[in-house]
Amino acid sequence: MTTSSRHPLGVTLVDGGANVAVFSATADRIEFCRFDEDGTEHRTELTDRTGYVFHGIVPDVAVGTRYGLRVHGPWDPANGLRHNAAKLLLDPYATQIDGDYEWGQALFGHDMEAPSQIDETDSASAMPKCVVSDRDFDWGDDAAPRTPLSETIVYETHVKGFTKQHPDVPEAIRGTYAGLADPAAIKHLTDLGVTAVELLPTHQFVQDSTLADKGLRNYWGYNSIGFLAPHNEYASIPGAQVQEFKTMVKALHAAGLEVIMDVVYNHTAEGNHMGPTLSFKGIDNASYYRLVEGEEDSYFDTTGTGNSLNVSHPAALALIMDSLRYWVEEMHVDGFRFDLATTLTRQDGEAEKHSAFLDIIHQDPVLRNVKMIAEPWDTAGYQVGGFPADWSEWNGKFRDDVRSFWGGEEGTLGDTVQRVLGSPDVYEGDRRSPLCSIDFVTAHDGFTLADLTSYSEKHNDANGEDNNDGESDNKSFNGGVEGPTDDEGVNEYRDRQRRNFLGTLLLSTGVPMILGGDEIARSQGGNNNAYCQDDEISWFDWAAQDTDLLEFTTRAIAFRKAHSALTPEWFRVAPDGQGAGTVQVLRADARPFEDDDWADGGNLAVALVLSDGTDTVALLLNASGTTVEFTLPGRPGAGEHAWRLGLSSDAGQQVDGSGETLLVRDASFTALV
């Protein structure tokens, strides 16, 4: 007879059934609950226990078996204990979850009218079920692209929204993993020239009741409950999400595209003390969640969602690590973007650069070979520049400073030059590479590029919060008219500004990230917080795409790839100080800046000459409201070679190879080669 084992956690098929192992330091006993197709429940107690892991061999378990857990133990919320065997719980290590929630009292471990009291309504019929997934898959000759960071161009997008209205993707698979794997979808990405897709959350997440009551849905997916399970709603065939996710990755890899997952390990969908009991709360509340010291019935929250995962506990940290390794080894993903990553570094409440979470990733032989990207803040702190050298970070300073600059805000030139050069003021002091900077102007959270240049105010009325949600300070501008207009002058200005933003992004040192749809001028009608809009507000409107902007973005990406001077791996000189200088920062008259020039807040024009010894590019930036005459700088190592036009946001820009000066119109840039 097979002997049960404490490892691995979760369900592992063996002869005659499955080894099941569940961690809980506070439970008295745990039952594995198998469900027939008609909903009949069969319970098997895990009778073996090693340390804090309950385990046992459960018969009649195979691929496709639907199951959940019941955990028996004390109900004592004041001391952080929330066991309630009436509640069917999801296995934290489930690799597939099917079904949906029927919201009501049954899903809550406490009495909703008296939160300290236990509720003994059975939740099985209201809960989705874990499913033993089929792990077999023919990967063929699949290979990770392993694109160097210096050559990486990230495209942030949404599995559903990208293809939901794509006319060339078969209707039956639009909005699914299979849709993103379709040749028509992949062709857009490869024609554009990006190298990686960063997918908004594809971990299993919860459609919460508060949005459902308003007739809305959680579109973005930052409401995780299953860290090893691909979200079931993105499968074109019910129950096929694991196979379809793998097929999607394989297809993207075959096209040379990496897959980066946006992962949400900082919190779960169970919320605060008033939230539902779906998994971790009922298994071991105090181990998986950070509780308020002295008030263990409350949750320490630096995420704004009601709870924070307790990364100082070995079980919670092990779950994160096991999940990450699973997605790399089993699902073949190429990297991760960590939502509110600062929360994951808080061992004792304070953010720590040498936290267990960061240290263990550096030592892991699987994870140290994939891309790691931090969103370097949470509700309690802003840590841009605070992560280790092996990490890249969403550089919020790039977004803010570049927006301010092209908005014509005085005093922004110096900071913008730092951003274009890879933010040496943020990273160079710690001997970190400019490749640590993920440069972006827009992301899923906030205005799209089209809306950034069309609206001065947010318009979130559809979210049902009286336009009180979302950021109010967006550094956006509308060109003189709020929203869509037929005014040709306003539209020309907006078009130029969109090219300014995309051009600056793609000509800057660092790793550029484009918000999916910006290249076709996707609009959300001024909604800057469309997390709950799973509809035409958020979905790509391919029928209305701006083909001129798409063509410009494609050229800008090709220009970046063609010029190595734009993609240095170090600032100005190599870290040993022995390399040649790579940057000249010049005034419009081609003279070096002096202190008084930087102090002149009205100065919004600069020439940057970038060279790596074999390639040279000059960037002429003019964010002022008037045309600026630039004296053309010398061309390092070029001999008699004259400057030529490379790329410009000004569709009418001309360059006379014999000229010594060049007029750059208001609110525009020109790149020379």
Side-chain angles (χ1 to χ4, degrees):
M1 181 177 178
T2 303
T3 302
S4 73
S5 171
R6 63 179 296 187
H7 292 302
L9 293 174
V11 175
T12 305
L13 294 179
V14 297
D15 289 342
N19 184 86
V20 180
V22 181
F23 170 88
S24 178
T26 55
D28 294 330
R29 60 192 184 93
I30 296 178
E31 293 175 306
F32 178 89
C33 307
R34 178 174 59 82
F35 290 85
D36 294 338
E37 288 299 321
D38 63 3
T40 302
E41 180 178 354
H42 306 273
R43 302 186 187 185
T44 302
E45 183 172 349
L46 305 181
T47 55
D48 298 331
R49 184 173 182 179
T50 305
Y52 293 136
V53 177
F54 293 78
H55 52 98
I57 299 296
V58 180
D60 301 321
V61 176
V63 169
T65 295
R66 297 163 59 80
Y67 73 97
L69 304 171
R70 293 188 186 271
V71 179
H72 300 257
W75 171 267
D76 185 6
N79 289 299
L81 299 169
R82 294 181 176 270
H83 296 297
N84 185 344
K87 308 305 172 182
L88 186 74
L89 305 175
L90 298 174
D91 175 8
Y93 281 80
T95 56
Q96 182 174 327
I97 298 171
D98 284 343
D100 206 346
Y101 301 88
E102 295 180 14
W103 287 101
Q105 175 63 71
L107 294 181
F108 294 80
H110 61 276
D111 186 317
M112 295 174 70
E113 301 299 326
S116 64
Q117 302 300 311
I118 193 169
D119 174 79
E120 297 184 346
T121 308
D122 193 290
S123 70
S125 62
M127 281 287 292
K129 306 298 186 291
C130 304
V131 180
V132 178
S133 65
D134 185 355
R135 304 281 287 267
D136 290 337
F137 183 77
D138 181 9
W139 283 104
D141 58 357
D142 178 71
R146 298 283 188 227
T147 306
L149 269 174
S150 61
E151 299 173 14
T152 296
I153 301 171
V154 179
Y155 186 88
E156 188 198 29
T157 194
H158 189 283
V159 168
K160 183 175 184 177
F162 184 63
T163 65
K164 183 62 178 175
Q165 299 185 109
H166 199 299
D168 298 326
V169 173
E171 187 172 359
I173 62 172
R174 291 176 189 169
T176 69
Y177 300 121
L180 187 51
D182 187 79
I186 291 177
K187 183 178 187 300
H188 177 79
L189 299 169
T190 54
D191 285 354
L192 183 61
V194 297
T195 69
V197 289
E198 181 175 302
L199 301 177
L200 266 70
T202 51
H203 281 168
Q204 185 69 37
F205 62 85
V206 173
Q207 292 291 348
D208 47 291
S209 59
T210 54
L211 290 179
D213 290 344
K214 298 178 182 179
L216 301 172
R217 288 170 51 82
N218 187 319
Y219 175 67
W220 288 351
Y222 292 93
N223 206 25
S224 297
I225 198 64
F227 293 144
L228 283 81
H231 189 60
N232 55 10
E233 292 181 300
Y234 299 153
S236 66
I237 300 172
Q241 57 264 40
V242 175
Q243 297 293 312
E244 285 194 14
F245 188 97
K246 291 179 177 179
T247 300
M248 175 192 71
V249 172
K250 183 178 178 181
L252 290 166
H253 280 181
L257 295 163
E258 292 186 304
V259 178
I260 298 172
M261 290 179 63
D262 189 337
V263 289
V264 189
Y265 294 114
N266 55 76
H267 73 280
T268 79
E270 291 185 297
N272 61 15
H273 65 288
M274 295 298 290
T277 297
L278 309 176
S279 181
F280 306 96
K281 268 185 185 176
I283 294 173
D284 189 338
N285 187 55
S287 292
Y288 282 114
Y289 294 119
R290 188 184 296 280
L291 306 180
V292 177
E293 187 175 355
E295 300 177 30
E296 278 75 14
D297 58 344
S298 299
Y299 293 81
F300 184 84
D301 178 19
T302 57
T303 66
T305 62
N307 65 51
S308 302
L309 217 65
N310 186 12
V311 290
S312 64
H313 194 283
L317 186 58
L319 173 61
I320 294 173
M321 298 303 294
D322 290 341
S323 168
L324 291 170
R325 282 189 291 265
Y326 174 83
W327 288 100
V328 173
E329 295 183 308
E330 180 81 11
M331 310 295 269
H332 288 206
V333 303
D334 306 286
F336 304 94
R337 178 268 187 187
F338 292 81
D339 179 63
L340 300 182
T342 297
T343 289
L344 300 175
T345 72
R346 296 183 184 279
Q347 294 186 161
D348 299 310
E350 296 296 323
E352 299 181 31
K353 188 172 184 177
H354 297 292
S355 66
F357 167 72
L358 294 175
D359 287 347
I360 199 169
I361 282 181
H362 292 164
Q363 299 170 29
D364 190 280
V366 174
L367 301 179
R368 66 190 179 198
N369 294 319
V370 301
K371 291 179 170 67
M372 293 287 174
I373 301 170
E375 181 183 37
W377 51 78
D378 60 13
T379 61
Y382 192 72
Q383 261 193 306
V384 173
F387 276 72
D390 291 342
W391 284 68
S392 297
E393 304 171 357
W394 270 26
N395 189 346
K397 294 184 177 181
F398 185 99
R399 171 198 60 205
D400 297 342
D401 291 338
V402 171
R403 286 187 181 191
S404 296
F405 176 73
W406 286 116
E409 185 176 325
E410 291 191 356
T412 58
L413 182 62
D415 288 337
T416 301
V417 168
Q418 295 277 6
R419 302 305 148 245
V420 172
L421 298 181
S423 295
D425 59 332
V426 176
Y427 300 109
E428 191 173 27
D430 289 334
R431 298 173 67 83
R432 294 180 67 189
S433 162
L435 301 179
C436 293
S437 177
I438 302 294
D439 300 337
F440 69 105
V441 173
T442 54
H444 68 273
D445 189 0
F447 278 137
T448 66
L449 180 62
D451 291 350
L452 182 70
T453 53
S454 299
Y455 295 90
S456 293
E457 305 291 338
K458 63 183 180 180
H459 296 267
N460 297 353
D461 303 274
N463 296 355
E465 298 183 41
D466 296 323
N467 205 35
N468 291 317
D469 64 305
E471 179 61 55
S472 295
D473 181 14
N474 297 282
K475 301 182 183 297
S476 64
F477 40 86
N478 62 22
V481 179
E482 189 76 353
T485 179
D486 293 327
D487 188 306
E488 292 183 3
V490 171
N491 285 329
E492 191 279 332
Y493 171 77
R494 291 175 178 178
D495 291 343
R496 194 165 73 254
Q497 287 284 30
R498 291 165 191 170
R499 294 192 292 268
N500 283 334
F501 281 123
L502 285 167
T504 304
L505 174 64
L506 290 164
L507 297 175
S508 293
T509 298
V511 181
M513 183 187 79
I514 299 169
L515 171 62
D518 277 356
E519 76 282 9
I520 60 172
R522 181 177 72 89
S523 172
Q524 294 176 169
N527 192 321
N528 74 347
N529 190 34
Y531 76 101
C532 57
Q533 299 298 332
D534 187 0
D535 52 29
E536 288 82 358
I537 290 176
S538 297
W539 302 338
F540 285 43
D541 185 356
W542 294 100
Q545 65 179 301
D546 184 334
T547 55
D548 290 337
L549 187 59
L550 174 60
E551 189 273 337
F552 172 83
T553 310
T554 303
R555 282 195 294 115
I557 290 174
F559 185 81
R560 178 184 182 85
K561 291 181 176 181
H563 291 283
S564 57
L566 299 174
T567 57
E569 297 189 18
W570 295 101
F571 300 105
R572 300 187 182 89
V573 295
D576 59 8
Q578 302 302 308
T582 60
V583 176
Q584 295 180 62
V585 181
L586 305 173
R587 303 185 316 196
D589 62 4
R591 296 177 181 272
F593 271 79
E594 298 178 357
D595 291 344
D596 289 346
D597 298 316
W598 294 118
D600 179 3
N603 186 6
L604 293 172
V606 64
L608 303 173
V609 183
L610 314 173
S611 179
D612 65 358
T614 60
D615 179 53
T616 300
V617 177
L619 308 180
L620 312 182
L621 309 179
N622 176 23
S624 73
T626 61
T627 297
V628 171
E629 183 178 40
F630 281 83
T631 298
L632 296 180
R635 199 171 183 284
E640 297 301 319
H641 182 79
W643 290 108
R644 299 189 302 266
L645 178 63
L647 188 73
S648 180
S649 60
D650 177 8
Q653 183 65 276
Q654 300 290 324
V655 176
D656 180 356
S658 63
E660 297 182 356
T661 63
L662 181 68
L663 295 177
V664 177
R665 70 164 299 177
D666 60 296
S668 71
F669 81 86
T670 293
L672 305 174
V673 294

